[in-house]
Amino acid sequence: MTKCARIFIVACMLTCLTAGLVRAEKPGDPAAVSSEDGKYADKDGNPTYKVGSDGKVDFYSYIGFVRYSANCLQCHGPDGLGSTYAPSLVDSLKNLDYSEVMAIVAGGKKDVSESQQLVMPALGENKNVMCFIDAIYVYLRGRSTGAIGRGRPAEHEPKTDAFTKAEDSCMG
Amino acid sequence: MKRTSLSGLLMTGALLSSVLSASVLLAPGVMAQGATSSDAAGKDWSTPAGSMNSQRFSTLNQITDQNVGKLQVAWTFSTGVLRGHEGAPLVIGNVMYVHAPFPNTVFALDLDHDGKILWKYEPKQDPNVIPVMCCDTVNRGVAYGDGKIFLHQADTTLVALDAKTGKVAWTVKTDDPAKGATGTDAPLVVKDKVYVGVSGGEFGVRGWFAAYSVADGKQVWRGWSMGPDSDTLIQPGKTMNLGKPVAADSSTATWQGDQWKIGGGDTWGWKSYDPKTNLIFYGSGNPSTWNPKQRPGDNKYSMTIWARDADTGSVKWVYQMTPHDEWDYDGVNEMVLTDQEFDGKPRHLLVHFDRNGFGYTLDRDTGELLVAQKYDPAVNWASKVDMDPKSATYGRPQVLPQYSTEHNGEDTNSTNICPAALGTKDEQPSAFSPRTGLFYVPTNHVCMDYEPFRVSYTAGQPYVGATLSMYPPKGETNMGNFIAWDATKGKIVWSLPEQFSVWSGALATAGNVVFYGTLEGYLKAVDAKTGKLLYKFKTPSGIIGNVMTYEHGGHQYVAVLSGVGGWAGIGLAAGLTDPHAGLGAVGGYAALNQYTSLGGALTVFALPQN
């Protein structure tokens, strides 16, 4: 494992740990209680989505859709609904919390037997994924509760400078 | 491979399997079509497309348009693997060779004894190769020659198995899966060489096409899809492109800096061979990444039809169909070689149904472009291909700016582009009947929104750079068609709508019957002249395999692998929705997972035998 991947996992473990301790039930109440630079958090401090009464989604959910579709769709199917190749994340995220999702995405997961070959790749070294992983999580969380529907969200909050800055520094 | 040695092998093979049964008597007849069959398949189906010209045509005529309605299942066989099953088995003499997706099991089945297993080969491969296989762990089949069965494993090991015993004769590593390179293609054997290509366009793997010696696995030559002439084996001044000689380093000149080193152009499709000219034909795939802004230039020679000398790899001609791809329209689909009249003159043709929605007809000896027409009326990204040899854009598609993801730019969603990235047709091969002069083409009828964005390259990690949504063309609900095509005119003769993309390779026979499979799992037989449905049977799982036919014990059989998966299984499992239907639209289009489920089975059909 490269240094880069290790940093991602360690960073995750720290946030995950704190999040895990106060967690009541997986993955907890998705209601947004705070926001910073267009990024919303639930009462446990975990990233979450915000969908307005007009259907407009927060920017993270939107970019999460875009990055999900580029990095996960080829296995997990359109809109997180699963495929012949990998499970439905709409279902999975009903029972996985933020820390578990982070650990699986960064470190991978395997279930290989005589008749089944399920391998989730370790994406911890992949900037195209890890620089957007909170957004992908937020989008899938919204899909799993039904707050976000199928397809590209029609309207979204504007991109913030903070997002652009973070993206640029992460992508290098 | 000479016929004499082939018959020798078959004799021993038959003896071994059946211990002096009637098969020995049968053997001489069985030899009629050997591994070098270049015109049509007969009793055997000895090469992935039935014959070297990739026509997928069989001279067998016991099953006809008159009696195909009585077809019955003769026997079935489970591969034990539940992934997408592409390709088709081979039959040589009294033995059938069946391959499976990862872990790439190969079975030799004794046709004299109801498919008894003569041997089984199962390689031990690192499961870490699984997630680098974009869109399912498929394999498109094995090849036969020199008494050996050749398999290109997922982990890019090319293995030669003794056809009689299944023992490994030799192995050679063709590439490196740690970089994202994988083996999914069916090799092709011509004379003393076996030809293979590589997958990995979504990982920035630079494509190549290579010849290995069937005797010992030594590489004879390797031609890269991009790079300096010493890599591509292009001969500046000699290699032709649309009637003109190609200049020096014509590939690297169309890339920025070193980008060609991770430029894709992978070669995972089918291969054809013409003994008259000793040329081998295949296509190269998409340039990496899917974000066109990040790779300025024509990105040669991605998206290209290649004609190489089979002995040396030296390039006779090239034709790039989609310069500077902006939609993932891989050029790997099959090259069907036919001898037909064009404009009143007999010509040696190469016909190719590209992902980009154009059906191309070229002179295969020279690479001259004769026809380029849309084979689905929905195709809209380009108005036409420029056919004027005097034009500066000769041979290039005339791209409409509104559908140009390069023109619309990064982070912009270009909408209603037809076809979608999976193409008007993907790898599922077409068939040609010399009796009707028609091509039978399984097609997709799906459009897309495409949004490219910046990506960074990490070796062995996906390098995609675009998001897409797919849906049928406006106002339509069928996601596929099965069409008959006249390649000399560039016209659809008839078209059968299918609910889902048709992802199964077609078969045409001398009995005036054309066969294909559907994603719901139906094997269908239609009249070759009219397209009238004559027979259908629902197999255990969706069909993305190719239909083949053979004769054994005086009876004609038709066989197909079921096992839904591949890109079709991923994209269509949950059903498509129309992103432009507006808020509140529910349901969308039919979901494949309501019709079929995972499987891995061979179904063999025959007429009732009393």
Short mmCIF file of all heavy atoms in Angstrom, two decimals, chain A residues 62 66-67 69-70 73-74 77-78 81-85 110 112 114-115 117 119 121-123 125-128 150 152 168 171-172, chain B residues 83 102 122 127-128 130-131 136-137 413 451 453-456 458 461-462 466-467 564-565 567 569-571 573-575 577 598:
data_model
loop_
_atom_site.label_atom_id
_atom_site.label_comp_id
_atom_site.label_asym_id
_atom_site.label_seq_id
_atom_site.Cartn_x
_atom_site.Cartn_y
_atom_site.Cartn_z
N TYR A 62 -25.14 16.29 -5.61
CA TYR A 62 -25.08 16.37 -7.08
C TYR A 62 -23.75 15.83 -7.61
O TYR A 62 -23.71 14.96 -8.48
CB TYR A 62 -25.30 17.82 -7.54
CG TYR A 62 -24.91 18.01 -8.97
CD1 TYR A 62 -25.69 17.48 -10.00
CD2 TYR A 62 -23.73 18.68 -9.32
CE1 TYR A 62 -25.33 17.62 -11.32
CE2 TYR A 62 -23.36 18.83 -10.64
CZ TYR A 62 -24.16 18.30 -11.63
OH TYR A 62 -23.78 18.42 -12.94
N VAL A 66 -22.50 12.47 -9.98
CA VAL A 66 -21.59 12.49 -11.13
C VAL A 66 -20.43 11.52 -10.89
O VAL A 66 -20.09 10.70 -11.75
CB VAL A 66 -21.06 13.92 -11.37
CG1 VAL A 66 -19.96 13.92 -12.43
CG2 VAL A 66 -22.19 14.85 -11.78
N ARG A 67 -19.83 11.58 -9.72
CA ARG A 67 -18.65 10.76 -9.45
C ARG A 67 -19.02 9.29 -9.18
O ARG A 67 -18.25 8.39 -9.51
CB ARG A 67 -17.86 11.35 -8.27
CG ARG A 67 -17.24 12.69 -8.61
CD ARG A 67 -16.07 12.52 -9.57
NE ARG A 67 -15.61 13.79 -10.11
CZ ARG A 67 -14.45 13.96 -10.76
NH1 ARG A 67 -13.66 12.94 -10.98
NH2 ARG A 67 -14.10 15.13 -11.23
N SER A 69 -21.39 7.83 -10.76
CA SER A 69 -21.66 7.29 -12.10
C SER A 69 -20.38 7.02 -12.87
O SER A 69 -20.35 6.17 -13.74
CB SER A 69 -22.55 8.25 -12.89
OG SER A 69 -23.75 8.48 -12.18
N ALA A 70 -19.31 7.75 -12.53
CA ALA A 70 -18.05 7.54 -13.24
C ALA A 70 -17.21 6.43 -12.60
O ALA A 70 -16.43 5.79 -13.29
CB ALA A 70 -17.24 8.83 -13.27
N LEU A 73 -20.65 3.02 -10.97
CA LEU A 73 -21.75 2.53 -11.81
C LEU A 73 -21.38 1.29 -12.60
O LEU A 73 -22.18 0.38 -12.77
CB LEU A 73 -22.20 3.65 -12.75
CG LEU A 73 -23.34 3.36 -13.74
CD1 LEU A 73 -24.08 4.66 -14.06
CD2 LEU A 73 -22.88 2.73 -15.03
N GLN A 74 -20.12 1.23 -13.08
CA GLN A 74 -19.74 0.11 -13.94
C GLN A 74 -19.84 -1.22 -13.23
O GLN A 74 -19.81 -2.26 -13.86
CB GLN A 74 -18.35 0.33 -14.55
CG GLN A 74 -17.18 0.18 -13.60
CD GLN A 74 -16.76 1.49 -12.96
OE1 GLN A 74 -17.61 2.33 -12.67
NE2 GLN A 74 -15.47 1.68 -12.73
N GLY A 77 -24.14 -0.57 -10.96
CA GLY A 77 -25.30 -0.25 -11.77
C GLY A 77 -25.74 1.19 -11.66
O GLY A 77 -25.36 1.91 -10.74
N PRO A 78 -26.58 1.62 -12.60
CA PRO A 78 -27.06 3.00 -12.58
C PRO A 78 -27.82 3.29 -11.29
O PRO A 78 -28.54 2.44 -10.77
CB PRO A 78 -28.01 3.07 -13.78
CG PRO A 78 -27.65 1.92 -14.65
CD PRO A 78 -27.09 0.87 -13.75
N LEU A 81 -28.42 0.96 -7.98
CA LEU A 81 -29.45 -0.08 -7.83
C LEU A 81 -28.93 -1.51 -7.92
O LEU A 81 -29.70 -2.45 -7.84
CB LEU A 81 -30.54 0.15 -8.87
CG LEU A 81 -31.49 1.30 -8.53
CD1 LEU A 81 -32.38 1.65 -9.72
CD2 LEU A 81 -32.35 0.93 -7.32
N GLY A 82 -27.64 -1.66 -8.12
CA GLY A 82 -27.10 -3.01 -8.19
C GLY A 82 -27.14 -3.57 -9.60
O GLY A 82 -27.79 -3.01 -10.49
N SER A 83 -26.40 -4.65 -9.82
CA SER A 83 -26.32 -5.23 -11.15
C SER A 83 -26.10 -6.71 -11.02
O SER A 83 -26.15 -7.26 -9.92
CB SER A 83 -25.14 -4.60 -11.90
OG SER A 83 -23.93 -5.15 -11.43
N THR A 84 -25.82 -7.37 -12.14
CA THR A 84 -25.50 -8.79 -12.10
C THR A 84 -24.11 -8.99 -11.50
O THR A 84 -23.69 -10.11 -11.28
CB THR A 84 -25.50 -9.37 -13.52
OG1 THR A 84 -24.58 -8.61 -14.31
CG2 THR A 84 -26.87 -9.31 -14.15
N TYR A 85 -23.40 -7.91 -11.22
CA TYR A 85 -21.99 -7.99 -10.87
C TYR A 85 -21.70 -7.56 -9.44
O TYR A 85 -20.74 -8.03 -8.83
CB TYR A 85 -21.22 -7.09 -11.84
CG TYR A 85 -19.74 -7.32 -11.91
CD1 TYR A 85 -19.24 -8.58 -12.19
CD2 TYR A 85 -18.86 -6.27 -11.71
CE1 TYR A 85 -17.87 -8.78 -12.26
CE2 TYR A 85 -17.49 -6.48 -11.79
CZ TYR A 85 -17.00 -7.73 -12.07
OH TYR A 85 -15.65 -7.92 -12.15
N LYS A 110 -13.99 -8.73 -0.27
CA LYS A 110 -13.97 -9.90 -1.15
C LYS A 110 -14.90 -10.98 -0.66
O LYS A 110 -14.98 -11.23 0.53
CB LYS A 110 -12.56 -10.50 -1.15
CG LYS A 110 -11.71 -10.05 -2.29
CD LYS A 110 -10.45 -10.90 -2.38
CE LYS A 110 -9.38 -10.09 -3.06
NZ LYS A 110 -8.23 -9.74 -2.30
N VAL A 112 -15.10 -14.54 -2.42
CA VAL A 112 -14.77 -15.39 -3.56
C VAL A 112 -14.94 -16.85 -3.17
O VAL A 112 -14.34 -17.32 -2.21
CB VAL A 112 -13.33 -15.14 -4.05
CG1 VAL A 112 -13.00 -16.04 -5.23
CG2 VAL A 112 -13.15 -13.68 -4.43
N GLU A 114 -16.43 -20.93 -4.95
CA GLU A 114 -16.47 -21.73 -6.19
C GLU A 114 -17.45 -21.12 -7.20
O GLU A 114 -17.17 -21.02 -8.36
CB GLU A 114 -16.89 -23.16 -5.82
CG GLU A 114 -16.85 -24.13 -6.98
CD GLU A 114 -15.45 -24.38 -7.52
OE1 GLU A 114 -14.48 -24.33 -6.72
OE2 GLU A 114 -15.33 -24.60 -8.72
N SER A 115 -18.61 -20.65 -6.71
CA SER A 115 -19.63 -20.20 -7.65
C SER A 115 -19.80 -18.69 -7.66
O SER A 115 -20.55 -18.15 -8.43
CB SER A 115 -20.97 -20.84 -7.30
OG SER A 115 -21.35 -20.45 -6.00
N GLN A 117 -17.82 -14.80 -7.36
CA GLN A 117 -16.56 -14.06 -7.33
C GLN A 117 -16.87 -12.59 -7.16
O GLN A 117 -16.90 -11.83 -8.11
CB GLN A 117 -15.76 -14.27 -8.62
CG GLN A 117 -15.34 -15.69 -8.88
CD GLN A 117 -16.39 -16.47 -9.64
OE1 GLN A 117 -17.19 -15.90 -10.37
NE2 GLN A 117 -16.39 -17.77 -9.49
N VAL A 119 -15.70 -9.14 -5.87
CA VAL A 119 -14.53 -8.41 -5.41
C VAL A 119 -14.75 -6.92 -5.56
O VAL A 119 -14.93 -6.41 -6.66
CB VAL A 119 -13.25 -8.82 -6.16
CG1 VAL A 119 -12.05 -8.03 -5.63
CG2 VAL A 119 -12.98 -10.31 -6.00
N PRO A 121 -12.97 -3.53 -5.36
CA PRO A 121 -11.56 -3.12 -5.37
C PRO A 121 -11.25 -2.13 -4.26
O PRO A 121 -12.11 -1.38 -3.82
CB PRO A 121 -11.41 -2.46 -6.74
CG PRO A 121 -12.78 -2.02 -7.13
CD PRO A 121 -13.73 -3.00 -6.50
N ALA A 122 -10.00 -2.10 -3.81
CA ALA A 122 -9.54 -1.08 -2.87
C ALA A 122 -9.27 0.19 -3.67
O ALA A 122 -8.44 0.21 -4.57
CB ALA A 122 -8.26 -1.54 -2.18
N LEU A 123 -10.03 1.23 -3.37
CA LEU A 123 -9.92 2.45 -4.17
C LEU A 123 -9.18 3.57 -3.42
O LEU A 123 -9.20 4.71 -3.84
CB LEU A 123 -11.32 2.92 -4.60
CG LEU A 123 -12.07 1.91 -5.48
CD1 LEU A 123 -13.54 2.28 -5.64
CD2 LEU A 123 -11.42 1.81 -6.85
N GLU A 125 -6.25 4.44 -3.23
CA GLU A 125 -5.20 5.18 -3.94
C GLU A 125 -5.76 6.00 -5.09
O GLU A 125 -5.01 6.67 -5.79
CB GLU A 125 -4.21 4.18 -4.55
CG GLU A 125 -3.37 3.46 -3.54
CD GLU A 125 -2.43 2.50 -4.25
OE1 GLU A 125 -1.78 2.90 -5.23
OE2 GLU A 125 -2.35 1.34 -3.82
N ASN A 126 -7.03 5.88 -5.32
CA ASN A 126 -7.62 6.49 -6.51
C ASN A 126 -8.17 7.88 -6.19
O ASN A 126 -9.20 8.02 -5.55
CB ASN A 126 -8.74 5.57 -7.03
CG ASN A 126 -9.24 6.01 -8.39
OD1 ASN A 126 -9.25 7.19 -8.71
ND2 ASN A 126 -9.66 5.05 -9.18
N LYS A 127 -7.48 8.88 -6.64
CA LYS A 127 -7.89 10.25 -6.35
C LYS A 127 -9.26 10.57 -6.93
O LYS A 127 -10.01 11.37 -6.37
CB LYS A 127 -6.87 11.23 -6.93
CG LYS A 127 -5.56 11.23 -6.18
CD LYS A 127 -4.70 12.35 -6.73
CE LYS A 127 -3.35 12.35 -6.03
NZ LYS A 127 -2.49 13.40 -6.59
N ASN A 128 -9.56 9.98 -8.09
CA ASN A 128 -10.85 10.27 -8.73
C ASN A 128 -12.01 9.82 -7.84
O ASN A 128 -13.14 10.29 -8.00
CB ASN A 128 -10.93 9.58 -10.09
CG ASN A 128 -9.77 9.95 -10.98
OD1 ASN A 128 -9.43 11.13 -11.09
ND2 ASN A 128 -9.12 8.96 -11.57
N ARG A 150 -34.00 8.47 -8.84
CA ARG A 150 -33.13 7.94 -9.88
C ARG A 150 -32.70 9.06 -10.82
O ARG A 150 -33.37 10.08 -10.94
CB ARG A 150 -33.84 6.84 -10.68
CG ARG A 150 -34.13 5.60 -9.86
CD ARG A 150 -34.48 4.43 -10.77
NE ARG A 150 -33.39 4.15 -11.73
CZ ARG A 150 -33.41 3.14 -12.58
NH1 ARG A 150 -34.43 2.34 -12.63
NH2 ARG A 150 -32.40 2.94 -13.40
N ARG A 152 -30.05 11.89 -12.82
CA ARG A 152 -29.32 13.10 -12.45
C ARG A 152 -30.25 14.05 -11.71
O ARG A 152 -31.33 14.36 -12.21
CB ARG A 152 -28.83 13.75 -13.74
CG ARG A 152 -28.23 15.13 -13.60
CD ARG A 152 -27.84 15.66 -14.96
NE ARG A 152 -26.72 14.90 -15.47
CZ ARG A 152 -25.45 15.30 -15.38
NH1 ARG A 152 -25.16 16.46 -14.84
NH2 ARG A 152 -24.49 14.54 -15.84
N ASP A 168 -9.16 21.02 -6.15
CA ASP A 168 -7.87 21.30 -6.80
C ASP A 168 -6.71 20.77 -5.99
O ASP A 168 -5.78 20.16 -6.53
CB ASP A 168 -7.71 22.80 -7.04
CG ASP A 168 -8.60 23.28 -8.18
OD1 ASP A 168 -9.13 22.41 -8.90
OD2 ASP A 168 -8.79 24.50 -8.33
N MET A 171 -6.81 16.80 -6.07
CA MET A 171 -6.51 16.18 -7.37
C MET A 171 -5.07 16.46 -7.79
O MET A 171 -4.51 15.74 -8.62
CB MET A 171 -7.46 16.69 -8.45
CG MET A 171 -8.89 16.20 -8.31
SD MET A 171 -9.11 14.44 -8.66
CE MET A 171 -9.17 14.45 -10.46
N GLY A 172 -4.49 17.53 -7.26
CA GLY A 172 -3.09 17.84 -7.53
C GLY A 172 -2.84 18.35 -8.93
O GLY A 172 -3.64 18.22 -9.81
N ARG B 83 -21.44 -15.88 -13.99
CA ARG B 83 -21.14 -14.55 -14.53
C ARG B 83 -21.54 -14.50 -16.00
O ARG B 83 -22.02 -15.48 -16.56
CB ARG B 83 -19.65 -14.25 -14.38
CG ARG B 83 -19.16 -14.24 -12.94
CD ARG B 83 -18.89 -12.82 -12.46
NE ARG B 83 -20.10 -12.03 -12.41
CZ ARG B 83 -20.83 -11.82 -11.31
NH1 ARG B 83 -20.46 -12.31 -10.17
NH2 ARG B 83 -21.91 -11.10 -11.37
N PHE B 102 -14.40 -15.86 -15.61
CA PHE B 102 -13.51 -16.09 -14.46
C PHE B 102 -14.14 -17.10 -13.53
O PHE B 102 -15.30 -16.97 -13.22
CB PHE B 102 -13.27 -14.77 -13.72
CG PHE B 102 -12.19 -14.87 -12.68
CD1 PHE B 102 -10.88 -14.55 -13.00
CD2 PHE B 102 -12.49 -15.29 -11.39
CE1 PHE B 102 -9.88 -14.65 -12.04
CE2 PHE B 102 -11.49 -15.40 -10.43
CZ PHE B 102 -10.19 -15.08 -10.76
N GLU B 122 -8.86 -25.71 -14.84
CA GLU B 122 -9.24 -24.53 -14.08
C GLU B 122 -8.01 -23.85 -13.52
O GLU B 122 -7.39 -24.34 -12.58
CB GLU B 122 -10.21 -24.89 -12.94
CG GLU B 122 -10.72 -23.62 -12.27
CD GLU B 122 -11.73 -23.89 -11.16
OE1 GLU B 122 -12.54 -24.82 -11.30
OE2 GLU B 122 -11.67 -23.17 -10.15
N PRO B 127 -7.63 -13.36 -7.46
CA PRO B 127 -8.94 -12.70 -7.59
C PRO B 127 -8.85 -11.18 -7.72
O PRO B 127 -9.82 -10.54 -8.08
CB PRO B 127 -9.70 -13.11 -6.33
CG PRO B 127 -8.74 -13.81 -5.45
CD PRO B 127 -7.51 -14.13 -6.22
N ASN B 128 -7.69 -10.60 -7.43
CA ASN B 128 -7.55 -9.16 -7.59
C ASN B 128 -7.68 -8.71 -9.04
O ASN B 128 -7.81 -7.53 -9.32
CB ASN B 128 -6.22 -8.67 -7.02
CG ASN B 128 -6.29 -8.62 -5.51
OD1 ASN B 128 -7.33 -8.30 -4.94
ND2 ASN B 128 -5.19 -8.98 -4.86
N ILE B 130 -10.19 -9.55 -10.78
CA ILE B 130 -11.62 -9.43 -11.04
C ILE B 130 -12.07 -7.96 -11.17
O ILE B 130 -12.69 -7.60 -12.17
CB ILE B 130 -12.45 -10.17 -9.96
CG1 ILE B 130 -12.20 -11.68 -10.09
CG2 ILE B 130 -13.93 -9.87 -10.08
CD1 ILE B 130 -12.78 -12.50 -8.96
N PRO B 131 -11.73 -7.12 -10.18
CA PRO B 131 -12.24 -5.74 -10.31
C PRO B 131 -11.57 -4.91 -11.40
O PRO B 131 -12.06 -3.84 -11.72
CB PRO B 131 -11.99 -5.14 -8.93
CG PRO B 131 -10.95 -5.99 -8.30
CD PRO B 131 -11.10 -7.35 -8.88
N ASP B 136 -17.71 -6.82 -15.76
CA ASP B 136 -17.87 -8.27 -15.69
C ASP B 136 -16.65 -9.05 -16.16
O ASP B 136 -15.84 -8.59 -16.95
CB ASP B 136 -19.10 -8.76 -16.45
CG ASP B 136 -19.72 -10.01 -15.80
OD1 ASP B 136 -19.09 -10.57 -14.88
OD2 ASP B 136 -20.81 -10.40 -16.21
N THR B 137 -16.56 -10.27 -15.61
CA THR B 137 -15.38 -11.11 -15.82
C THR B 137 -15.57 -12.05 -17.00
O THR B 137 -15.39 -13.25 -16.90
CB THR B 137 -15.14 -11.97 -14.57
OG1 THR B 137 -16.38 -12.59 -14.22
CG2 THR B 137 -14.66 -11.15 -13.42
N ASN B 413 -23.01 18.58 -19.30
CA ASN B 413 -23.72 17.36 -19.64
C ASN B 413 -24.28 17.48 -21.06
O ASN B 413 -25.20 18.25 -21.29
CB ASN B 413 -24.85 17.16 -18.62
CG ASN B 413 -25.44 15.78 -18.69
OD1 ASN B 413 -24.76 14.82 -19.05
ND2 ASN B 413 -26.72 15.68 -18.34
N GLU B 451 -21.16 13.38 -19.64
CA GLU B 451 -20.50 14.53 -19.02
C GLU B 451 -19.04 14.19 -18.72
O GLU B 451 -18.76 13.41 -17.82
CB GLU B 451 -21.22 14.91 -17.72
CG GLU B 451 -20.54 16.05 -16.99
CD GLU B 451 -21.30 16.50 -15.74
OE1 GLU B 451 -22.48 16.16 -15.60
OE2 GLU B 451 -20.68 17.21 -14.93
N PHE B 453 -15.19 14.90 -17.38
CA PHE B 453 -14.52 15.76 -16.40
C PHE B 453 -13.09 15.27 -16.18
O PHE B 453 -12.73 14.17 -16.57
CB PHE B 453 -15.28 15.80 -15.08
CG PHE B 453 -15.67 14.46 -14.58
CD1 PHE B 453 -14.74 13.63 -13.99
CD2 PHE B 453 -16.97 13.99 -14.73
CE1 PHE B 453 -15.09 12.37 -13.55
CE2 PHE B 453 -17.33 12.73 -14.30
CZ PHE B 453 -16.39 11.92 -13.70
N ARG B 454 -12.32 16.11 -15.51
CA ARG B 454 -10.90 15.86 -15.30
C ARG B 454 -10.69 14.61 -14.44
O ARG B 454 -11.37 14.41 -13.44
CB ARG B 454 -10.32 17.08 -14.58
CG ARG B 454 -8.83 17.07 -14.37
CD ARG B 454 -8.37 18.50 -14.12
NE ARG B 454 -9.11 19.10 -13.01
CZ ARG B 454 -8.56 19.41 -11.83
NH1 ARG B 454 -7.30 19.17 -11.60
NH2 ARG B 454 -9.29 19.97 -10.88
N VAL B 455 -9.74 13.79 -14.81
CA VAL B 455 -9.35 12.64 -13.98
C VAL B 455 -7.84 12.58 -13.86
O VAL B 455 -7.12 13.12 -14.70
CB VAL B 455 -9.82 11.28 -14.56
CG1 VAL B 455 -11.25 11.02 -14.25
CG2 VAL B 455 -9.53 11.18 -16.05
N SER B 456 -7.40 11.91 -12.81
CA SER B 456 -5.96 11.73 -12.68
C SER B 456 -5.65 10.25 -12.88
O SER B 456 -6.47 9.38 -12.61
CB SER B 456 -5.47 12.23 -11.32
OG SER B 456 -5.68 11.25 -10.34
N THR B 458 -3.71 6.82 -12.12
CA THR B 458 -2.94 6.00 -11.20
C THR B 458 -2.90 4.60 -11.82
O THR B 458 -3.96 4.07 -12.16
CB THR B 458 -3.62 5.91 -9.82
OG1 THR B 458 -3.89 7.23 -9.35
CG2 THR B 458 -2.75 5.18 -8.81
N GLN B 461 -5.66 1.72 -11.58
CA GLN B 461 -6.93 2.26 -11.10
C GLN B 461 -7.74 2.75 -12.29
O GLN B 461 -7.19 3.19 -13.29
CB GLN B 461 -6.69 3.44 -10.14
CG GLN B 461 -6.10 3.03 -8.80
CD GLN B 461 -7.10 2.29 -7.92
OE1 GLN B 461 -8.31 2.41 -8.08
NE2 GLN B 461 -6.59 1.51 -6.98
N PRO B 462 -9.09 2.68 -12.17
CA PRO B 462 -9.92 3.15 -13.29
C PRO B 462 -9.55 4.58 -13.69
O PRO B 462 -9.24 5.40 -12.84
CB PRO B 462 -11.34 3.09 -12.73
CG PRO B 462 -11.28 2.12 -11.61
CD PRO B 462 -9.89 2.18 -11.05
N ALA B 466 -15.72 10.31 -17.21
CA ALA B 466 -17.00 10.78 -17.72
C ALA B 466 -18.11 10.06 -16.98
O ALA B 466 -17.93 8.95 -16.49
CB ALA B 466 -17.14 10.55 -19.22
N THR B 467 -19.26 10.73 -16.92
CA THR B 467 -20.44 10.15 -16.32
C THR B 467 -21.48 10.03 -17.41
O THR B 467 -21.64 10.95 -18.20
CB THR B 467 -20.96 11.09 -15.22
OG1 THR B 467 -20.19 10.86 -14.04
CG2 THR B 467 -22.41 10.86 -14.90
N VAL B 564 -26.43 -14.28 -18.02
CA VAL B 564 -26.54 -12.83 -18.23
C VAL B 564 -25.39 -12.14 -17.52
O VAL B 564 -24.84 -12.64 -16.54
CB VAL B 564 -27.91 -12.34 -17.74
CG1 VAL B 564 -28.00 -12.31 -16.22
CG2 VAL B 564 -28.24 -10.98 -18.33
N GLY B 565 -24.99 -11.00 -18.03
CA GLY B 565 -23.88 -10.28 -17.44
C GLY B 565 -23.28 -9.34 -18.46
O GLY B 565 -23.97 -8.86 -19.36
N TRP B 567 -21.63 -5.92 -19.86
CA TRP B 567 -22.10 -4.55 -19.68
C TRP B 567 -23.64 -4.52 -19.67
O TRP B 567 -24.26 -3.75 -18.94
CB TRP B 567 -21.53 -3.63 -20.75
CG TRP B 567 -22.13 -2.30 -20.65
CD1 TRP B 567 -22.89 -1.68 -21.57
CD2 TRP B 567 -22.07 -1.40 -19.51
NE1 TRP B 567 -23.31 -0.46 -21.09
CE2 TRP B 567 -22.82 -0.27 -19.84
CE3 TRP B 567 -21.45 -1.48 -18.26
CZ2 TRP B 567 -22.99 0.79 -18.95
CZ3 TRP B 567 -21.63 -0.42 -17.37
CH2 TRP B 567 -22.37 0.69 -17.73
N GLY B 569 -25.72 -6.70 -18.47
CA GLY B 569 -26.25 -7.10 -17.17
C GLY B 569 -26.09 -6.01 -16.14
O GLY B 569 -26.87 -5.90 -15.19
N ILE B 570 -25.08 -5.19 -16.31
CA ILE B 570 -24.85 -4.13 -15.35
C ILE B 570 -25.75 -2.94 -15.66
O ILE B 570 -26.43 -2.41 -14.80
CB ILE B 570 -23.36 -3.72 -15.37
CG1 ILE B 570 -22.54 -4.85 -14.76
CG2 ILE B 570 -23.14 -2.41 -14.63
CD1 ILE B 570 -21.10 -4.85 -15.15
N GLY B 571 -25.78 -2.56 -16.91
CA GLY B 571 -26.53 -1.36 -17.27
C GLY B 571 -28.03 -1.55 -17.24
O GLY B 571 -28.77 -0.62 -16.95
N ALA B 573 -29.82 -4.18 -15.62
CA ALA B 573 -30.39 -5.01 -14.56
C ALA B 573 -31.57 -4.32 -13.89
O ALA B 573 -32.65 -4.89 -13.74
CB ALA B 573 -29.32 -5.36 -13.53
N ALA B 574 -31.37 -3.09 -13.48
CA ALA B 574 -32.41 -2.40 -12.72
C ALA B 574 -33.34 -1.60 -13.63
O ALA B 574 -34.27 -0.95 -13.16
CB ALA B 574 -31.78 -1.48 -11.68
N GLY B 575 -33.10 -1.62 -14.92
CA GLY B 575 -33.95 -0.88 -15.84
C GLY B 575 -33.46 0.54 -16.02
O GLY B 575 -32.87 1.13 -15.13
N THR B 577 -34.00 4.65 -16.93
CA THR B 577 -35.01 5.70 -16.77
C THR B 577 -34.65 6.83 -17.71
O THR B 577 -33.50 6.96 -18.12
CB THR B 577 -35.04 6.26 -15.35
OG1 THR B 577 -33.71 6.63 -14.98
CG2 THR B 577 -35.58 5.25 -14.36
N LEU B 598 -28.94 -14.61 -12.77
CA LEU B 598 -27.62 -15.14 -13.08
C LEU B 598 -27.67 -16.62 -13.44
O LEU B 598 -28.50 -17.36 -12.94
CB LEU B 598 -26.70 -14.98 -11.87
CG LEU B 598 -26.43 -13.56 -11.39
CD1 LEU B 598 -25.52 -13.59 -10.17
CD2 LEU B 598 -25.80 -12.74 -12.49
#
